[in-house]
Amino acid sequence: MSGTNAHVVVGASPEPEAPAEPVAPVSGFEVSARTPEALRTWAALLADRLASVKDEDYPAFAYTLTHGRAPLATAVRITAGDRTEAAALLRSLAGDAVPSTVAELPAHRAPGFTDLPRRVLDLPAYPWERRRHAPTA
């Protein structure tokens, strides 16, 4: 007969250290959609999402919006340094008003915000527009 000796030490694992993100001041972000109507709907969804975002996650929110998807034809730049100001601007944009701190952008523009952190947040889904096209005879 033979036997095997084994020892197991059970304990809590050490907490992983979160990598330090460079905190760059955020001056705003870009929002784009195919049509002005879709842009207003998207702005309302983003304003709702921004209500649940922590202040320290606002740079990641701005980065996700600007770099997380390809720009579409109707685009604006929201100039806001914090999440409460951004939410107010998004709400006014959703209600047909274009605030003075919102600038319309050309469809093909150079990417910006390269100094923002490379962390992303979950955002609401883009409001796809359903359109029917009847065949022409």
Side-chain angles (χ1 to χ4, degrees):
M1 301 212 100
S2 69
T4 303
N5 293 329
H7 299 287
V8 176
V9 178
V10 178
S13 64
E15 290 292 323
E17 293 183 25
E21 289 183 3
V23 179
V26 177
S27 61
F29 51 87
E30 296 176 8
V31 180
S32 67
R34 290 203 188 281
T35 64
E37 295 80 21
L39 184 67
R40 285 193 292 276
T41 304
W42 182 227
L45 290 170
L46 291 173
D48 290 343
R49 174 64 174 102
L50 205 49
S52 65
V53 170
K54 298 176 190 172
D55 288 335
E56 60 268 14
D57 289 335
Y58 178 63
F61 177 87
Y63 179 86
T64 303
L65 275 174
T66 303
H67 293 292
R69 52 194 288 272
L72 299 173
T74 305
V76 294
R77 177 169 296 190
I78 304 289
T79 305
D82 63 22
R83 70 180 186 89
T84 54
E85 182 183 4
L89 290 171
L90 286 167
R91 290 247 179 257
S92 63
L93 182 62
D96 272 343
V98 179
S100 60
T101 54
V102 174
E104 292 187 33
L105 299 173
H108 301 288
R109 60 193 179 279
F113 301 103
T114 56
D115 56 344
L116 291 179
R118 291 191 158 269
R119 195 168 63 104
V120 297
L121 293 180
D122 289 332
L123 297 177
Y126 177 75
W128 296 104
E129 297 175 276
R130 306 261 186 240
R131 294 185 185 176
R132 291 183 179 251
H133 298 279
T136 57

